Amino acid sequence: WKMVLTTPLLFDILKERNMDTKYAIRKEALQGFSLIHKSYVTEYFQQNQFIPDEIKEPIAVVKNKILHGYYMKNVDDKILIERVFVTCLVPYNMDTKTRMKVLYQLLLDLDEYANRAFIELQRQQTKLRKLVFDWLKIHKQAEPNKSEIASRSYAIAASLPEQNKAKEFIMKFSNHILKDNEIMACLEAILSKDISCAKCTEKIQALLKKTGSASATNFYFSTVKNLLHRIASVTVDREAIEAIVEIVETKQKGSEIFPLTTLSQVFPVHFQNDLILEDLVDLLKRYTNEPGYKENILKTFTHLCAYKSLNENFPQINADLMGICKTLAMEGTPKQCKQAVIFICNNQKEPSMEV
């Protein structure tokens, strides 16, 4: 894999094929890039080796090219990249601290378009999780509305490959849920907002055992598997955010805080913890004039209060934040002042005269 990265001709061919008009060719090129990244992760992160300068730039290109593929309209492309993300870009089976080191470096290396693709990937998964959650709620009713189950089943099938076949097997899965409480419990756990990555993986495996064994002819198994992979949260949980905050605490530059800001946009639920928020407040209290440092932390808090008001849920932390923001608004740089005011306004449903 190092030969591909350090041989411009080979690397350029792979980059071009990654955007081919034919899905089969795009898939092969993307899988090639994915295996390169997985080998890089295994060698340099799991074994804690120094990353040579000659591969830093091409490996960043690999990450960006993979995520750029999420802009393709084909649902097969999106599912492939979602799967590649959790198996090769940020392997879900790594221990939490190593996995977060990989994710942190990934987010640092992304260009603007790849970063947007990462956010969109997470938002699409959240949207589908909500759809499946509402669909499951109907199954839990005393007398489930079959026509409503069918209409939502078709909406879920639209997010899977071979939509017409998927409709049939999602309806079969629906009947299976109604007959087997264990399947319902597993799916409910997978959709839980605060489930850990390890527990989510365990529940997916338990549920898939109920749908038979993997084979080329078992389309029911492959349909359910595709659905579970699209809604599973196996990369980031509360423990993972704690690990990311630990990494950020060792950094000094504003740009090195940016990954935290990105994650707060798409995983705000996992930040809802006193210790995590207190650590973020401590970062904000640091004496530093590094451009972007305090601005990015304030953006992080703004994303979090858009999810849940800190004023209502963490009053003591909110009181500390308001004092810091008041100081930054009066004495900080123009950008710090701007972010402080944005946070204050977003965190107060009905701003008081003092605010």
Side-chain angles (χ1 to χ4, degrees), residues 3 10 35 43 68 127 137 144 193 210 242 262 268 273 324 329 339:
M3 184 182 73
L10 284 174
L35 291 174
E43 183 168 337
H68 287 169
K127 184 178 176 182
K137 275 204 304 188
K193 289 182 178 180
K210 293 278 188 176
E242 288 173 357
T262 301
N273 175 273
I324 295 169
Q339 289 304 322

Side-chain angles (χ1 to χ4, degrees), residues 311-322:
N311 187 33
E312 295 177 5
N313 296 282
F314 302 94
Q316 184 55 54
I317 292 171
N318 182 71
D320 291 344
L321 269 173
M322 293 297 284

Side-chain angles (χ1 to χ4, degrees), residues 142-173:
E143 293 183 8
N145 187 321
K146 291 187 177 180
S147 63
E148 196 171 349
I149 287 176
S151 66
R152 290 181 187 267
S153 296
Y154 295 157
I156 292 169
S159 65
L160 299 172
E162 299 184 68
Q163 186 176 336
N164 291 330
K165 279 186 181 179
K167 287 179 185 177
E168 176 189 345
F169 293 117
I170 291 297
M171 285 302 298
K172 183 178 177 180
F173 185 42

Side-chain angles (χ1 to χ4, degrees), residues 127-145:
K127 184 178 176 182
L128 184 56
R129 284 167 67 86
K130 177 69 168 61
L131 181 60
V132 176
F133 179 79
D134 292 341
W135 176 74
L136 184 63
K137 275 204 304 188
I138 303 170
H139 291 76
K140 295 169 71 177
Q141 295 172 357
E143 293 183 8
N145 187 321

Side-chain angles (χ1 to χ4, degrees), residues 75-289:
V75 70
D76 290 311
D77 284 285
K78 295 185 185 298
I79 290 174
L80 176 61
I81 290 164
E82 288 170 2
R83 191 62 191 151
V84 160
F85 183 84
V86 298
T87 56
C88 299
L89 283 184
V90 188
Y92 72 94
N93 54 1
M94 301 172 79
D95 68 271
T96 302
K97 289 194 174 182
T98 306
R99 189 171 74 245
M100 287 306 100
K101 286 178 184 176
V102 174
L103 178 59
Y104 177 80
Q105 190 58 52
L106 172 80
L107 293 174
L108 279 182
D109 287 341
L110 296 185
D111 62 25
E112 180 185 353
Y113 299 106
N115 190 65
R116 287 181 186 175
F118 168 77
I119 292 171
E120 182 61 21
L121 185 155
Q122 304 302 334
R123 284 178 174 166
Q124 287 299 318
Q125 288 192 317
T126 301
K127 184 178 176 182
L128 184 56
R129 284 167 67 86
K130 177 69 168 61
L131 181 60
V132 176
F133 179 79
D134 292 341
W135 176 74
L136 184 63
K137 275 204 304 188
I138 303 170
H139 291 76
K140 295 169 71 177
Q141 295 172 357
E143 293 183 8
N145 187 321
K146 291 187 177 180
S147 63
E148 196 171 349
I149 287 176
S151 66
R152 290 181 187 267
S153 296
Y154 295 157
I156 292 169
S159 65
L160 299 172
E162 299 184 68
Q163 186 176 336
N164 291 330
K165 279 186 181 179
K167 287 179 185 177
E168 176 189 345
F169 293 117
I170 291 297
M171 285 302 298
K172 183 178 177 180
F173 185 42
S174 173
N175 293 329
H176 206 163
I177 289 171
L178 291 170
K179 293 176 183 176
D180 193 328
N181 289 333
E182 191 177 340
I183 287 183
M184 184 180 288
C186 282
L187 187 55
E188 194 172 11
I190 291 165
L191 293 167
S192 173
K193 289 182 178 180
D194 57 356
I195 189 171
S196 69
C197 297
K199 194 71 174 176
C200 187
T201 303
E202 179 188 315
K203 292 295 182 182
I204 288 171
Q205 291 170 349
L207 198 157
L208 286 176
K209 284 180 182 177
K210 293 278 188 176
T211 61
S213 56
S215 69
T217 55
N218 190 349
F219 294 111
Y220 175 51
F221 176 89
S222 60
T223 299
V224 174
K225 184 180 178 182
N226 280 331
L227 175 62
L228 295 181
H229 284 170
R230 290 212 74 182
I231 64 174
S233 180
V234 294
T235 304
V236 177
D237 55 14
R238 183 163 294 174
E239 185 185 355
I241 295 300
E242 288 173 357
I244 282 281
V245 172
E246 280 183 25
I247 294 170
V248 169
E249 284 175 335
T250 65
K251 308 301 179 183
Q252 300 295 329
K253 295 181 179 179
S255 59
E256 294 173 326
I257 308 296
F258 185 72
L260 196 65
T261 307
T262 301
L263 292 174
S264 67
Q265 281 186 265
V266 288
F267 297 109
V269 64
H270 299 311
F271 285 79
Q272 305 300 311
N273 175 273
D274 288 282
L275 293 176
I276 291 174
L277 294 175
E278 284 169 5
D279 286 342
L280 292 179
V281 172
D282 288 341
L283 289 176
L284 197 55
K285 288 178 179 177
R286 280 186 180 178
Y287 180 77
T288 176
N289 292 318

